[in-house]
Amino acid sequence: LDKLYIGNVHIPHVPRVGFIDSGASSAYTSYEEREHINQAFDQFCKQDSSRCIGEKTKDLCYRYDITKNTALRTFFESFPTITLTTPGGGKLNWYPSEYFTQVYETQEFCVAVEPIGKKNEFILGASFMKQHMYIFDPEGEQVGIVRANCSDDMFRVTTGVVGSSI
């Protein structure tokens, strides 16, 4: 990876060595990187009252309040797109309906980014793989990733997310 953005907030010190692991449910990065991501979410959310609707319950977790008559899709759309860029100019968008995971039997949603102890390393798990197709070339040590259009998920967010431009 070259750069990482939360909405339009650039995250410094992006880890450079990465793995794609369909057996891991979340994305994993260093404690320091996760804290940068948490701070960027806070910065993004404070820019406008229409952003990040829902009470923040803990780092990178937000409560969806169904009693406020806000559609779940609207809740998702109020959060930033996470954008990863590659040195070759590639750009991957990770939308809220893909990176949020619901805490079992609650209305709390958490960003699926967990800390690991290794610096300069990251793992992209199954939550990152949602709505994408992958082509693995182990001999060429490459992976191709394209956005898929194969889901009928009514909460899927892929355009118009506040702050999605860089």
Side-chain angles (χ1 to χ4, degrees):
L1 291 179
D2 184 40
K3 295 179 182 168
L4 173 66
Y5 294 87
I6 307 299
N8 56 4
V9 179
H10 178 252
I11 303 294
H13 313 295
V14 175
R16 301 289 190 248
V17 177
F19 303 92
I20 298 172
D21 182 357
S22 62
S25 56
S26 295
Y28 297 87
T29 190
S30 71
Y31 286 95
E32 179 183 11
E33 287 293 325
R34 188 173 188 281
E35 183 54 30
H36 285 301
I37 292 168
N38 183 53
Q39 291 171 3
F41 261 83
D42 288 346
Q43 182 180 343
F44 175 89
C45 294
K46 289 177 185 175
Q47 290 176 356
D48 186 310
S49 63
S50 67
R51 293 183 174 186
C52 308
I53 58 176
E55 173 192 356
K56 185 172 182 176
T57 57
K58 57 187 170 197
D59 286 352
L60 298 174
C61 293
Y62 300 84
R63 182 170 290 114
Y64 166 64
D65 187 350
I66 196 166
T67 65
K68 292 188 178 177
N69 297 318
T70 302
L72 184 57
R73 183 180 178 94
T74 304
F75 171 80
F76 287 146
E77 288 175 340
S78 73
F79 287 89
T81 299
I82 298 174
T83 303
L84 301 92
T85 64
T86 63
K91 178 176 156 183
L92 297 166
N93 288 326
W94 194 18
Y95 296 105
S97 57
E98 298 161 358
Y99 65 66
F100 270 125
T101 58
Q102 187 171 7
V103 177
Y104 184 69
E105 294 187 354
T106 72
Q107 291 300 313
E108 184 177 38
F109 291 84
C110 296
V111 178
V113 176
E114 299 296 332
I116 56 174
K118 297 180 180 181
K119 284 190 170 193
N120 299 323
E121 196 172 283
F122 65 93
I123 299 170
L124 299 176
S127 63
F128 183 79
M129 298 179 86
K130 290 179 185 177
Q131 305 299 339
H132 291 87
M133 293 190 301
Y134 288 76
I135 300 171
F136 295 94
D137 177 7
E139 293 164 4
E141 297 181 354
Q142 300 180 82
V143 62
I145 306 170
V146 295
R147 180 148 297 277
N149 190 15
C150 56
S151 175
D152 292 331
D153 180 357
M154 62 190 263
F155 302 116
R156 182 174 173 214
V157 175
T158 58
T159 60
V161 178
V162 175
S164 63
S165 64
I166 38 179

